[in-house]
Amino acid sequence: MTRVLVTGFEPFGDEATNPSWAAVRLFADAPGAGLEVTAVELSCVYGLALDELRAAVARVEPDLVVCVGQAGGRPNVTVERVAINIDDARIPDNAGRQPIDVAIVEGGPAAYFATLPIKACVEAVRAAGVPAAVSHTAGTFVCNHVFYGLMHLLATEHPAARGGFVHIPYSSDQVTDRAEPSLPVPTMVTALRAIVTTAASRTEDITAPGGTTH
Ligand code: PCA
């Protein structure tokens, strides 16, 4: 049995919902064989989100942590490769905070790589019929903040646990009046199941192109 913590976020910006939370909650209800999954909702607030994540990791003692957030405008499910040690908020978070060029961990490494087999995860999502890609930036808003904080926490205090971050597009119900790329929430759940099942079953990644030219 692999113990898994999945997190989603509360709504932020001008959105009424955040399908990252709906998707991880639905996934945790029916995770699939060999997985024991706990879903936790994080605040979209710098600092507080990491306090909530730290508490959830202490409570669940997971083997695997997959944090999920929304990247509205992306057309596909993206498995993030790297978290960087910087907060640079384009918009205020849900507490009105807007840090500009502030280190997440003072003196911490510039970046952490996800410790998931990211390319195998992308391949598994595609095999499930859902568009997916590796992403090389999780941005500099609260998602990157949580991703970096997660990887720092695991590296320094839970070295046996592995973790990473997944961005999902808008859900179809969010953009019924907008010409934006989207996926239905159940399709996101299918993608998350493929990612978590793959990450739980292998540590080595596959060799496959996943880079970008710019
Ligand atoms: N997406 C934002 C923060 C919360 C979320 O779901 C981001 O990509 O930073």
Side-chain angles (χ1 to χ4, degrees):
M1 203 44 113
T2 304
R3 210 175 305 158
V4 185
L5 172 65
V6 288
T7 69
F9 279 100
E10 66 179 357
F12 69 102
D14 297 328
E15 298 301 323
T17 60
N18 191 330
S20 66
W21 171 233
V24 298
R25 207 183 40 208
L26 281 170
F27 169 55
D29 285 346
L35 302 174
E36 187 183 301
V37 179
T38 304
V40 168
E41 185 181 28
L42 301 180
S43 303
C44 188
V45 176
Y46 286 105
L48 176 60
L50 283 184
D51 295 342
E52 293 166 346
L53 179 66
R54 168 181 282 277
V57 169
R59 182 166 57 84
V60 174
E61 297 184 352
D63 305 303
L64 195 62
V65 184
V66 178
C67 297
V68 183
Q70 171 152 72
R74 286 191 190 176
N76 48 7
V77 172
T78 44
V79 183
E80 298 291 348
R81 188 196 288 263
V82 60
I84 60 174
N85 189 13
I86 201 82
D87 290 334
D88 189 357
R90 189 179 57 78
I91 57 170
D93 70 13
N94 285 359
R97 297 175 193 159
Q98 197 164 5
I100 310 280
D101 294 349
V102 179
I104 298 165
V105 177
E106 197 61 54
Y112 283 103
F113 288 123
T115 46
L116 309 179
I118 55 169
K119 291 181 172 177
C121 289
V122 166
E123 188 183 75
V125 176
R126 289 174 177 169
V130 182
V134 172
S135 163
H136 301 92
T137 176
T140 53
F141 193 47
V142 182
C143 285
N144 174 73
H145 180 83
V146 160
F147 183 18
Y148 185 92
L150 167 68
M151 299 318 299
H152 187 71
L153 176 66
L154 298 186
T156 55
E157 297 180 36
H158 304 273
R162 294 178 297 126
F165 198 97
V166 175
H167 265 119
I168 43 94
Y170 284 123
S171 58
S172 304
D173 57 289
Q174 264 181 303
V175 293
T176 51
D177 58 349
R178 284 182 270 169
E180 292 278 3
S182 66
L183 290 174
V185 170
T187 304
M188 297 175 182
V189 176
T190 298
L192 292 179
R193 188 173 294 112
I195 289 167
V196 171
T197 302
T198 301
S201 66
R202 62 184 301 156
T203 52
E204 288 289 302
D205 209 347
I206 58 171
T207 302
T212 58
T213 48
H214 52 265

